[in-house]
Amino acid sequence: MTGPTVPTATGAEPAAGWAPTPALGRAVLLAGLLLVAGVLLGRVDLIVLAAPFALGTAYALRRRPTALPQVWITQDDGGPLVEGGDVAAAVSVGNPDTVDYDLVVMRSRVSPWLRIDRAGFAGDEVVDAGKPSAVPATGAPAQGNGGRRSVADRPFVTSVPIGAAVDLELAGKALRWGRHPIGPAGARVATAGGLLVSRAVITEPVRVRVYPRTEPFEAVEAMPRAAGLVGAHHSRRPGEGGELAGVRVFAPGDRLRRIDWRVSLRARQLHVAATLSDRDAEVVVLLDVLAEAGRSGGVDGAASVLDTTVRATAAIAEHYLHRGDRVSLLEYGPAARRLRPAAGRRQYLTVLEWLLDVRVHASAHEPYDQVFGPQLLSSDALVVVLTPLLDERSAQMLARLARGGRFVVAVDTLPTDLASPKDQGWAEVAYRLWRLDREIMIGQLREHGVPVVRWAGAGSLDQVLRDVARLATAPRVGGR
């Protein structure tokens, strides 16, 4: 690979960024001492002994480097990367100089959520995480992950000829969703027979986008209110749909194919079959990011509150977008991020990209006014709130939404296997009291008309959505 044009150093000193090694200092010192001693003592044997050191040093320095190495990181663009998928990247070192690089030491940092199992140069023996490294690690600590030894933090040694590039290939597995860095990566080069060494050249990290793995999710088609013009849900409004609403007297504008001849002959008057229109619905997924609990174990381990929230959001959005509905996302937190409602495949990809930046933001600020303005939440939308119910403000927010007449479903994202504290004293008693207080809070929410259901993958919201749809279509008492 040909690098950029670099000015050639013409002075006696190496180009900027290059420094003499201790080996060069020892060679010059030894040759100088032998020559001085030979001249002062009149001994020819000392001069003959100094000649190889002087000639060897001069021969090695006959062509000095003029440019620093180039380092860059590339990621395999094999398609969207999902949790549990294979990740592949390469750290490359290029030689734009006019001399060979005798020795190149490369090293790169990798996010702990990217488990690098294999690393090596193309055509060379691959270093495996389960085997000892063939390259001395020079004191580099091995990163354990899941009981396996990582090769991500080891230095790798190679040589690079003139005008070429060498790729250090990294292969492994993505353990968790998010934007995970590969890098920064650095390289140092020795040339001129090891007499000159470059400064460390560092490149910026590359962020690998790992999308959440969507669990299979299905939900009933019943929606509280379908407010769009066309779609797959049955609404309460008359129109050209497939749901029979009854039989009525023929009126101007009715289509002839809608005439019910049996009823018309029996009543001696034309009657038509009335139907309900099929409309789309708006689903608002609200993510509570005020608190975090549990410890994330990656795709194959335990799930924290944030893991459950992100993966459930992706599954719910995929289901309703596939049905043709409009989906929007909101964060309940100080950042108050929002994704506008839309439908289609493009919106699903936007949802996945939006979820990569979800973070927990603990704050004493009440985000209600900024997030839940009347222009943001439609009165006909189904609001699915993913919350661990660890903050009292979350319960108050749910109660306000229910009192405002919105259709709210609360999904409990707290891990079921959340361990109690092991400290001595009153810690376990306090944990039990907290659990009881939380159960009381959930009971109060249900009294306010907010159904609370634990996320359990497919079918988690079926019964709840049926109840909400039934309440939405029930007649109002007292005209309210």
Coordinates of all heavy atoms in Angstrom, one line a residue, residues 319-411:
H319 N -42.8 -5.9 16.2 CA -44.1 -6.5 16.0 C -45.1 -5.5 15.4 O -45.7 -5.8 14.4 CB -44.6 -7.0 17.3 CG -46.0 -7.4 17.3 ND1 -46.4 -8.6 16.7 CD2 -47.2 -6.8 17.7 CE1 -47.7 -8.8 16.8 NE2 -48.2 -7.7 17.4
Y320 N -45.2 -4.3 16.0 CA -46.2 -3.4 15.6 C -45.9 -2.7 14.2 O -46.7 -2.4 13.4 CB -46.5 -2.3 16.6 CG -47.3 -2.9 17.8 CD1 -46.7 -3.1 19.0 CD2 -48.6 -3.2 17.6 CE1 -47.4 -3.6 20.1 CE2 -49.4 -3.7 18.7 CZ -48.7 -3.9 19.9 OH -49.5 -4.4 21.0
L321 N -44.6 -2.5 14.0 CA -44.2 -1.9 12.7 C -44.5 -3.0 11.6 O -44.8 -2.6 10.4 CB -42.7 -1.5 12.7 CG -42.4 -0.3 13.5 CD1 -40.9 -0.1 13.6 CD2 -43.0 1.0 12.9
H322 N -44.3 -4.2 11.9 CA -44.6 -5.3 10.9 C -46.1 -5.3 10.6 O -46.5 -5.7 9.5 CB -44.2 -6.6 11.4 CG -44.4 -7.8 10.4 ND1 -43.7 -7.9 9.3 CD2 -45.3 -8.8 10.5 CE1 -44.1 -9.0 8.6 NE2 -45.1 -9.5 9.3
R323 N -46.9 -4.9 11.6 CA -48.4 -4.9 11.4 C -48.8 -3.6 10.6 O -50.0 -3.4 10.3 CB -49.1 -5.0 12.7 CG -48.8 -6.2 13.5 CD -49.2 -7.4 12.8 NE -50.7 -7.4 12.5 CZ -51.3 -8.4 11.8 NH1 -50.6 -9.4 11.3 NH2 -52.6 -8.3 11.6
G324 N -47.9 -2.7 10.4 CA -48.3 -1.5 9.7 C -48.6 -0.3 10.6 O -49.1 0.7 10.1
D325 N -48.4 -0.4 11.9 CA -48.7 0.6 12.8 C -47.6 1.7 12.9 O -46.5 1.4 12.4 CB -49.0 0.1 14.2 CG -50.2 -0.8 14.2 OD1 -51.1 -0.5 13.6 OD2 -50.1 -1.9 14.9
R326 N -47.9 2.8 13.5 CA -46.9 3.8 13.7 C -46.3 3.7 15.2 O -47.1 3.5 16.1 CB -47.5 5.2 13.6 CG -47.8 5.5 12.1 CD -48.7 6.8 12.0 NE -50.0 6.5 12.4 CZ -50.6 7.2 13.4 NH1 -49.9 8.1 14.1 NH2 -51.9 6.9 13.8
V327 N -45.0 3.7 15.3 CA -44.3 3.5 16.6 C -43.4 4.7 16.8 O -42.7 5.2 15.9 CB -43.5 2.2 16.6 CG1 -42.7 2.1 17.9 CG2 -44.4 1.0 16.4
S328 N -43.5 5.2 18.1 CA -42.6 6.3 18.5 C -42.0 5.9 19.8 O -42.5 5.0 20.6 CB -43.3 7.6 18.7 OG -44.3 7.5 19.7
L329 N -40.8 6.4 20.2 CA -40.1 6.1 21.4 C -39.9 7.4 22.2 O -39.6 8.5 21.6 CB -38.7 5.5 21.1 CG -38.7 4.2 20.2 CD1 -37.3 3.7 20.0 CD2 -39.6 3.1 20.8
L330 N -39.9 7.2 23.5 CA -39.7 8.3 24.4 C -38.8 7.8 25.6 O -38.9 6.7 26.0 CB -41.0 8.9 25.0 CG -41.9 9.7 24.1 CD1 -43.2 10.1 24.8 CD2 -41.1 11.0 23.7
E331 N -38.0 8.7 26.1 CA -37.2 8.4 27.3 C -37.7 9.2 28.5 O -37.9 10.4 28.4 CB -35.7 8.8 27.1 CG -34.9 7.7 26.5 CD -33.4 8.0 26.5 OE1 -33.0 9.0 27.1 OE2 -32.6 7.2 26.0
Y332 N -38.0 8.5 29.6 CA -38.4 9.2 30.8 C -37.1 9.4 31.6 O -36.7 8.5 32.4 CB -39.4 8.4 31.6 CG -39.9 9.1 32.8 CD1 -40.7 10.2 32.7 CD2 -39.6 8.6 34.1 CE1 -41.2 10.9 33.8 CE2 -40.0 9.3 35.2 CZ -40.8 10.4 35.0 OH -41.3 11.1 36.2
G333 N -36.5 10.6 31.4 CA -35.3 10.9 32.1 C -34.9 12.3 31.8 O -35.6 13.0 31.0
P334 N -33.8 12.8 32.3 CA -33.4 14.2 32.1 C -33.1 14.5 30.7 O -33.2 15.7 30.3 CB -32.2 14.4 33.1 CG -31.7 13.0 33.3 CD -32.9 12.1 33.2
A335 N -32.6 13.5 29.9 CA -32.3 13.8 28.5 C -33.5 14.0 27.7 O -33.5 14.7 26.7 CB -31.4 12.7 27.9
A336 N -34.6 13.3 28.0 CA -35.9 13.4 27.3 C -35.8 13.2 25.8 O -36.3 14.0 25.0 CB -36.5 14.8 27.6
R337 N -35.0 12.2 25.4 CA -34.9 11.9 23.9 C -36.2 11.4 23.4 O -37.0 10.7 24.1 CB -33.8 10.9 23.7 CG -32.4 11.4 24.0 CD -31.3 10.5 23.4 NE -31.6 9.1 23.7 CZ -31.5 8.1 22.8 NH1 -31.1 8.4 21.5 NH2 -31.7 6.8 23.1
R338 N -36.4 11.7 22.1 CA -37.7 11.3 21.5 C -37.5 10.9 20.1 O -36.7 11.5 19.4 CB -38.7 12.4 21.6 CG -40.0 12.2 20.8 CD -41.0 13.4 21.0 NE -42.2 13.1 20.3 CZ -42.5 13.5 19.1 NH1 -41.6 14.2 18.4 NH2 -43.7 13.2 18.6
L339 N -38.2 9.9 19.6 CA -38.2 9.5 18.2 C -39.6 9.6 17.7 O -40.5 9.0 18.3 CB -37.7 8.0 18.1 CG -37.7 7.4 16.7 CD1 -36.7 8.2 15.8 CD2 -37.4 5.9 16.7
R340 N -39.7 10.4 16.7 CA -41.1 10.7 16.1 C -41.8 9.5 15.6 O -41.1 8.5 15.2 CB -40.9 11.7 15.0 CG -40.1 11.2 13.8 CD -40.1 12.2 12.7 NE -39.4 11.6 11.5 CZ -39.9 10.8 10.7 NH1 -41.1 10.3 10.8 NH2 -39.2 10.3 9.6
P341 N -43.1 9.5 15.6 CA -43.8 8.3 15.2 C -43.7 8.1 13.6 O -43.8 9.1 12.9 CB -45.3 8.6 15.6 CG -45.3 10.1 15.8 CD -44.0 10.5 16.2
A342 N -43.6 6.9 13.2 CA -43.5 6.6 11.8 C -43.8 5.1 11.7 O -43.8 4.4 12.6 CB -42.2 7.0 11.2
A343 N -43.9 4.7 10.4 CA -44.1 3.2 10.2 C -43.2 2.8 9.1 O -42.5 3.5 8.4 CB -45.6 3.0 9.7
G344 N -43.1 1.4 9.0 CA -42.3 0.8 7.9 C -40.9 0.3 8.4 O -40.5 0.5 9.5
R345 N -40.3 -0.3 7.4 CA -39.0 -0.9 7.6 C -37.9 0.2 8.0 O -37.1 -0.1 8.9 CB -38.5 -1.6 6.4 CG -37.1 -2.2 6.4 CD -37.0 -3.3 7.3 NE -35.6 -3.9 7.3 CZ -35.2 -4.9 8.1 NH1 -36.1 -5.4 9.0 NH2 -34.0 -5.4 8.0
R346 N -38.0 1.3 7.4 CA -37.1 2.4 7.7 C -37.2 2.8 9.2 O -36.2 3.1 9.8 CB -37.3 3.6 6.8 CG -36.3 4.7 7.0 CD -36.5 5.8 6.0 NE -35.6 6.9 6.1 CZ -35.5 8.0 5.4 NH1 -36.4 8.1 4.4 NH2 -34.6 8.9 5.6
Q347 N -38.4 2.9 9.7 CA -38.6 3.3 11.1 C -38.0 2.2 12.0 O -37.5 2.5 13.1 CB -40.1 3.5 11.4 CG -40.4 3.8 12.8 CD -40.0 5.2 13.2 OE1 -39.4 5.9 12.5 NE2 -40.3 5.6 14.4
Y348 N -38.1 0.9 11.6 CA -37.5 -0.1 12.5 C -36.0 0.0 12.6 O -35.4 -0.1 13.7 CB -37.9 -1.5 11.9 CG -37.3 -2.7 12.7 CD1 -37.6 -2.9 14.0 CD2 -36.4 -3.5 12.1 CE1 -37.0 -3.9 14.7 CE2 -35.8 -4.6 12.8 CZ -36.2 -4.8 14.1 OH -35.6 -5.8 14.8
L349 N -35.4 0.3 11.5 CA -33.9 0.5 11.5 C -33.6 1.7 12.3 O -32.6 1.7 13.0 CB -33.4 0.6 10.1 CG -33.6 -0.6 9.2 CD1 -33.1 -0.4 7.8 CD2 -32.9 -1.8 9.8
T350 N -34.4 2.7 12.2 CA -34.1 3.9 13.0 C -34.3 3.7 14.5 O -33.6 4.2 15.4 CB -35.1 5.1 12.6 OG1 -35.0 5.3 11.2 CG2 -34.8 6.4 13.3
V351 N -35.3 2.8 14.8 CA -35.5 2.4 16.2 C -34.3 1.7 16.8 O -33.8 2.0 17.9 CB -36.8 1.5 16.4 CG1 -36.8 0.8 17.7 CG2 -38.0 2.4 16.2
L352 N -33.7 0.8 16.0 CA -32.5 0.0 16.5 C -31.4 1.0 16.7 O -30.6 0.8 17.6 CB -32.2 -1.1 15.5 CG -33.2 -2.2 15.3 CD1 -32.7 -3.2 14.3 CD2 -33.4 -2.9 16.6
E353 N -31.2 1.9 15.8 CA -30.1 2.9 15.9 C -30.3 3.8 17.1 O -29.4 4.1 17.8 CB -30.0 3.7 14.6 CG -28.7 4.5 14.5 CD -27.5 3.7 14.1 OE1 -27.7 2.6 13.6 OE2 -26.4 4.1 14.4
W354 N -31.6 4.2 17.4 CA -31.9 5.0 18.5 C -31.6 4.3 19.8 O -31.2 4.9 20.8 CB -33.4 5.4 18.4 CG -33.8 6.5 19.3 CD1 -33.8 7.8 19.1 CD2 -34.4 6.3 20.6 NE1 -34.3 8.5 20.2 CE2 -34.7 7.6 21.1 CE3 -34.7 5.2 21.4 CZ2 -35.3 7.8 22.4 CZ3 -35.3 5.4 22.6 CH2 -35.6 6.7 23.1
L355 N -31.9 3.0 19.9 CA -31.7 2.3 21.1 C -30.3 2.1 21.5 O -30.0 1.8 22.7 CB -32.4 0.9 21.0 CG -33.9 0.8 20.9 CD1 -34.4 -0.6 20.6 CD2 -34.5 1.4 22.2
L356 N -29.3 2.2 20.6 CA -27.9 2.1 20.9 C -27.4 3.2 21.8 O -26.4 3.0 22.5 CB -27.1 2.1 19.6 CG -27.3 1.0 18.6 CD1 -26.4 1.1 17.4 CD2 -27.2 -0.4 19.3
D357 N -28.1 4.3 21.9 CA -27.7 5.4 22.8 C -28.5 5.5 24.1 O -28.4 6.5 24.7 CB -27.8 6.7 22.0 CG -26.9 6.7 20.7 OD1 -25.8 6.2 20.9 OD2 -27.4 7.2 19.7
V358 N -29.2 4.5 24.4 CA -30.0 4.5 25.7 C -29.0 4.3 26.8 O -28.2 3.4 26.9 CB -31.1 3.4 25.7 CG1 -31.7 3.3 27.0 CG2 -32.1 3.6 24.6
R359 N -29.1 5.2 27.8 CA -28.3 5.2 29.0 C -29.1 5.6 30.2 O -30.1 6.2 30.1 CB -27.1 6.2 28.8 CG -26.1 6.0 27.7 CD -25.3 4.7 27.9 NE -24.3 4.5 26.8 CZ -24.6 3.9 25.7 NH1 -25.8 3.4 25.5 NH2 -23.7 3.8 24.8
V360 N -28.7 5.1 31.3 CA -29.3 5.4 32.6 C -28.9 6.8 33.0 O -27.6 7.0 33.1 CB -29.1 4.4 33.6 CG1 -29.7 4.8 35.0 CG2 -29.7 3.0 33.2
H361 N -29.8 7.7 33.3 CA -29.5 9.0 33.8 C -30.2 9.3 35.1 O -31.4 9.6 35.2 CB -29.9 10.1 32.8 CG -29.3 9.9 31.4 ND1 -28.0 10.3 31.1 CD2 -29.8 9.4 30.3 CE1 -27.8 10.0 29.8 NE2 -28.8 9.5 29.3
A362 N -29.4 9.1 36.2 CA -30.0 9.4 37.5 C -30.0 10.9 37.8 O -29.0 11.6 37.6 CB -29.2 8.7 38.6
S363 N -31.2 11.4 38.1 CA -31.3 12.9 38.3 C -32.5 13.1 39.2 O -33.5 12.4 39.3 CB -31.5 13.6 36.9 OG -31.8 14.9 37.1
A364 N -32.3 14.2 40.0 CA -33.4 14.6 40.9 C -34.4 15.5 40.2 O -35.4 15.9 40.8 CB -32.8 15.4 42.1
H365 N -34.2 15.8 38.9 CA -35.1 16.6 38.1 C -36.3 15.8 37.7 O -36.2 14.7 37.3 CB -34.3 17.2 36.9 CG -35.2 18.0 36.0 ND1 -35.7 19.2 36.4 CD2 -35.6 17.8 34.7 CE1 -36.4 19.7 35.4 NE2 -36.4 18.9 34.4
E366 N -37.5 16.5 37.8 CA -38.7 15.8 37.3 C -38.9 16.1 35.8 O -39.1 17.2 35.4 CB -39.9 16.4 38.1 CG -41.2 15.9 37.6 CD -41.4 14.4 37.6 OE1 -41.3 13.8 38.7 OE2 -41.5 13.8 36.5
P367 N -38.8 15.0 35.0 CA -38.8 15.3 33.5 C -40.2 15.3 32.9 O -40.3 15.2 31.7 CB -38.0 14.1 33.0 CG -38.3 13.0 34.0 CD -38.5 13.7 35.3
Y368 N -41.3 15.4 33.7 CA -42.6 15.2 33.2 C -43.0 16.2 32.2 O -43.5 15.9 31.1 CB -43.6 15.2 34.3 CG -45.0 14.9 33.9 CD1 -45.5 13.7 33.7 CD2 -45.9 16.0 33.7 CE1 -46.8 13.5 33.3 CE2 -47.2 15.8 33.2 CZ -47.7 14.6 33.0 OH -48.9 14.4 32.6
D369 N -42.8 17.5 32.5 CA -43.2 18.6 31.6 C -42.5 18.6 30.3 O -43.1 18.9 29.3 CB -43.0 19.9 32.3 CG -43.9 20.1 33.6 OD1 -44.9 19.4 33.6 OD2 -43.5 20.8 34.5
Q370 N -41.2 18.2 30.3 CA -40.5 18.2 29.0 C -40.9 17.0 28.1 O -40.8 17.1 26.9 CB -39.0 18.1 29.3 CG -38.4 19.5 29.8 CD -38.8 19.7 31.3 OE1 -39.2 18.8 32.0 NE2 -38.5 20.9 31.8
V371 N -41.3 15.9 28.7 CA -41.5 14.7 28.0 C -42.9 14.5 27.6 O -43.3 14.1 26.5 CB -41.0 13.4 28.8 CG1 -41.3 12.1 28.0 CG2 -39.6 13.5 29.1
F372 N -43.9 14.9 28.4 CA -45.3 14.5 28.2 C -46.1 15.7 27.9 O -47.2 15.9 28.5 CB -45.8 13.7 29.4 CG -45.0 12.5 29.7 CD1 -44.2 12.4 30.8 CD2 -45.1 11.4 28.9 CE1 -43.5 11.3 31.0 CE2 -44.4 10.3 29.1 CZ -43.6 10.2 30.2
G373 N -45.7 16.6 27.1 CA -46.5 17.7 26.7 C -47.7 17.2 25.8 O -47.7 16.1 25.3
P374 N -48.7 18.0 25.8 CA -49.9 17.5 25.0 C -49.7 17.3 23.5 O -50.4 16.6 22.9 CB -50.9 18.6 25.2 CG -50.1 19.8 25.6 CD -48.9 19.3 26.3
Q375 N -48.6 17.9 23.0 CA -48.3 17.7 21.6 C -47.5 16.5 21.3 O -47.3 16.1 20.1 CB -47.6 18.9 21.0 CG -46.1 19.0 21.5 CD -45.9 19.6 22.9 OE1 -46.9 19.9 23.6 NE2 -44.7 19.8 23.3
L376 N -47.0 15.8 22.3 CA -46.2 14.6 22.1 C -46.9 13.3 22.2 O -46.7 12.4 21.5 CB -45.0 14.6 23.1 CG -44.0 15.8 23.0 CD1 -42.9 15.7 24.0 CD2 -43.4 15.9 21.6
L377 N -47.9 13.2 23.1 CA -48.6 12.0 23.3 C -50.0 12.1 22.8 O -50.8 12.9 23.4 CB -48.6 11.6 24.8 CG -47.3 11.0 25.4 CD1 -47.5 10.7 26.9 CD2 -46.8 9.8 24.6
S378 N -50.4 11.4 21.8 CA -51.7 11.4 21.3 C -52.7 10.7 22.3 O -52.3 9.8 22.9 CB -51.7 10.7 19.9 OG -53.1 10.5 19.5
S379 N -53.9 11.2 22.3 CA -54.9 10.7 23.2 C -55.3 9.3 22.8 O -55.9 8.5 23.5 CB -56.1 11.6 23.3 OG -56.7 11.8 22.1
D380 N -55.1 9.0 21.5 CA -55.5 7.7 20.9 C -54.4 6.6 21.0 O -54.6 5.5 20.6 CB -56.0 7.8 19.5 CG -57.3 8.7 19.4 OD1 -58.1 8.6 20.4 OD2 -57.5 9.4 18.4
A381 N -53.2 7.0 21.4 CA -52.1 6.1 21.3 C -52.1 5.1 22.5 O -52.6 5.4 23.6 CB -50.8 6.9 21.3
L382 N -51.6 4.0 22.2 CA -51.3 3.0 23.3 C -49.9 3.2 23.8 O -48.9 3.2 23.1 CB -51.4 1.6 22.7 CG -50.9 0.4 23.6 CD1 -51.9 0.4 24.9 CD2 -50.9 -0.9 22.9
V383 N -49.8 3.5 25.1 CA -48.5 3.9 25.7 C -48.0 2.6 26.5 O -48.7 2.2 27.5 CB -48.6 5.1 26.6 CG1 -47.3 5.4 27.2 CG2 -49.2 6.3 25.9
V384 N -46.9 2.1 26.0 CA -46.3 0.9 26.7 C -45.1 1.5 27.5 O -44.1 1.9 26.9 CB -45.9 -0.2 25.7 CG1 -45.3 -1.3 26.5 CG2 -47.1 -0.6 24.9
V385 N -45.2 1.4 28.8 CA -44.1 2.0 29.6 C -43.3 0.8 30.2 O -43.8 -0.1 30.9 CB -44.7 2.8 30.8 CG1 -43.6 3.4 31.6 CG2 -45.6 3.9 30.3
L386 N -42.0 0.8 29.8 CA -41.0 -0.2 30.3 C -40.3 0.4 31.5 O -39.5 1.3 31.3 CB -40.1 -0.6 29.2 CG -40.7 -1.2 28.0 CD1 -39.7 -1.2 26.8 CD2 -41.2 -2.6 28.3
T387 N -40.6 0.0 32.7 CA -40.0 0.6 33.9 C -39.7 -0.5 35.0 O -40.5 -1.4 35.1 CB -41.0 1.6 34.5 OG1 -40.6 2.1 35.7 CG2 -42.4 1.0 34.6
P388 N -38.7 -0.3 35.7 CA -38.4 -1.2 36.9 C -39.2 -0.8 38.1 O -39.1 -1.6 39.1 CB -36.9 -1.1 37.1 CG -36.6 0.3 36.6 CD -37.5 0.6 35.5
L389 N -39.8 0.3 38.1 CA -40.6 0.8 39.3 C -39.7 0.9 40.5 O -40.0 0.5 41.6 CB -41.8 0.0 39.5 CG -42.9 0.0 38.5 CD1 -44.0 -1.0 38.8 CD2 -43.5 1.4 38.4
L390 N -38.5 1.5 40.3 CA -37.5 1.7 41.4 C -37.6 3.1 41.9 O -37.0 3.4 43.0 CB -36.1 1.3 40.9 CG -35.9 -0.1 40.6 CD1 -34.4 -0.3 40.0 CD2 -36.1 -1.0 41.8
D391 N -38.2 4.0 41.2 CA -38.3 5.4 41.5 C -39.7 5.8 41.7 O -40.6 5.4 40.9 CB -37.6 6.3 40.5 CG -37.3 7.7 41.0 OD1 -38.2 8.3 41.5 OD2 -36.1 8.1 40.8
E392 N -40.0 6.5 42.8 CA -41.4 6.9 43.0 C -42.0 7.8 41.9 O -43.2 7.8 41.6 CB -41.5 7.6 44.4 CG -42.9 7.9 44.8 CD -43.0 8.6 46.2 OE1 -41.9 8.6 46.8 OE2 -44.1 9.0 46.6
R393 N -41.1 8.6 41.3 CA -41.5 9.4 40.2 C -42.1 8.6 39.0 O -43.0 9.1 38.3 CB -40.4 10.3 39.7 CG -39.9 11.3 40.7 CD -38.6 12.0 40.3 NE -37.5 11.1 40.2 CZ -36.3 11.4 39.8 NH1 -36.1 12.7 39.3 NH2 -35.3 10.6 39.8
S394 N -41.6 7.4 38.8 CA -42.1 6.6 37.7 C -43.5 6.2 38.0 O -44.4 6.2 37.1 CB -41.2 5.3 37.6 OG -39.9 5.7 37.3
A395 N -43.8 5.8 39.2 CA -45.2 5.5 39.6 C -46.1 6.7 39.5 O -47.3 6.6 39.0 CB -45.3 4.9 41.0
Q396 N -45.7 7.8 39.9 CA -46.5 9.0 39.8 C -46.7 9.4 38.3 O -47.8 9.8 37.9 CB -45.8 10.2 40.5 CG -45.6 10.0 42.0 CD -44.8 11.1 42.6 OE1 -44.2 11.9 41.9 NE2 -44.7 11.1 43.9
M397 N -45.7 9.2 37.5 CA -45.9 9.4 36.0 C -47.0 8.5 35.4 O -47.8 8.9 34.7 CB -44.6 9.2 35.3 CG -44.6 9.3 33.8 SD -44.8 7.6 33.0 CE -43.3 6.9 33.5
L398 N -47.0 7.2 35.8 CA -48.0 6.3 35.3 C -49.4 6.7 35.8 O -50.3 6.6 35.0 CB -47.6 4.9 35.8 CG -46.4 4.2 35.1 CD1 -46.0 3.0 35.9 CD2 -46.7 3.9 33.7
A399 N -49.5 7.1 37.0 CA -50.8 7.5 37.5 C -51.3 8.8 36.8 O -52.5 8.9 36.5 CB -50.7 7.8 39.0
R400 N -50.4 9.7 36.5 CA -50.8 10.9 35.8 C -51.3 10.6 34.4 O -52.3 11.2 33.9 CB -49.7 11.9 35.7 CG -49.5 12.7 37.0 CD -48.6 13.9 36.8 NE -47.2 13.5 36.4 CZ -46.2 13.4 37.3 NH1 -46.4 13.6 38.6 NH2 -45.0 13.0 36.9
L401 N -50.6 9.7 33.7 CA -51.0 9.3 32.4 C -52.4 8.6 32.4 O -53.2 8.9 31.5 CB -50.0 8.3 31.8 CG -48.7 8.9 31.3 CD1 -47.7 7.8 30.9 CD2 -48.8 9.9 30.2
A402 N -52.6 7.8 33.4 CA -54.0 7.1 33.5 C -55.1 8.1 33.8 O -56.1 8.1 33.2 CB -53.9 6.0 34.6
R403 N -54.8 9.1 34.7 CA -55.8 10.1 35.0 C -56.0 11.0 33.8 O -57.1 11.6 33.6 CB -55.3 10.9 36.2 CG -55.4 10.2 37.5 CD -55.4 11.2 38.6 NE -54.1 12.0 38.6 CZ -53.0 11.7 39.3 NH1 -53.0 10.6 40.0 NH2 -52.0 12.5 39.2
G404 N -55.0 11.2 32.9 CA -55.2 12.0 31.7 C -56.0 11.3 30.6 O -56.1 11.9 29.5
G405 N -56.4 10.1 30.8 CA -57.3 9.4 29.8 C -56.5 8.6 28.8 O -57.1 8.2 27.8
R406 N -55.2 8.4 29.0 CA -54.4 7.7 28.0 C -54.5 6.2 28.4 O -54.6 5.8 29.5 CB -53.0 8.2 27.9 CG -52.9 9.6 27.3 CD -51.6 10.2 27.3 NE -51.5 11.4 26.5 CZ -51.8 12.6 26.9 NH1 -52.3 12.7 28.2 NH2 -51.7 13.7 26.2
F407 N -54.3 5.4 27.3 CA -54.3 3.9 27.5 C -52.8 3.5 27.8 O -52.0 3.5 26.9 CB -54.8 3.3 26.3 CG -56.2 3.7 25.9 CD1 -56.3 4.7 24.8 CD2 -57.3 3.3 26.5 CE1 -57.6 5.1 24.5 CE2 -58.5 3.7 26.2 CZ -58.7 4.6 25.2
V408 N -52.6 3.1 29.1 CA -51.3 2.8 29.5 C -51.1 1.4 29.9 O -52.0 0.8 30.6 CB -50.9 3.8 30.8 CG1 -49.5 3.5 31.2 CG2 -51.2 5.2 30.4
V409 N -50.0 0.8 29.6 CA -49.6 -0.6 30.0 C -48.2 -0.5 30.6 O -47.3 0.0 29.9 CB -49.7 -1.6 28.9 CG1 -49.2 -3.0 29.3 CG2 -51.1 -1.7 28.3
A410 N -48.1 -0.9 31.8 CA -46.8 -0.8 32.4 C -46.1 -2.2 32.4 O -46.8 -3.2 32.8 CB -46.9 -0.4 33.9
V411 N -44.9 -2.3 31.9 CA -44.2 -3.5 31.8 C -43.0 -3.5 32.8 O -42.2 -2.6 32.8 CB -43.6 -3.8 30.4 CG1 -42.8 -5.1 30.3 CG2 -44.7 -3.8 29.4

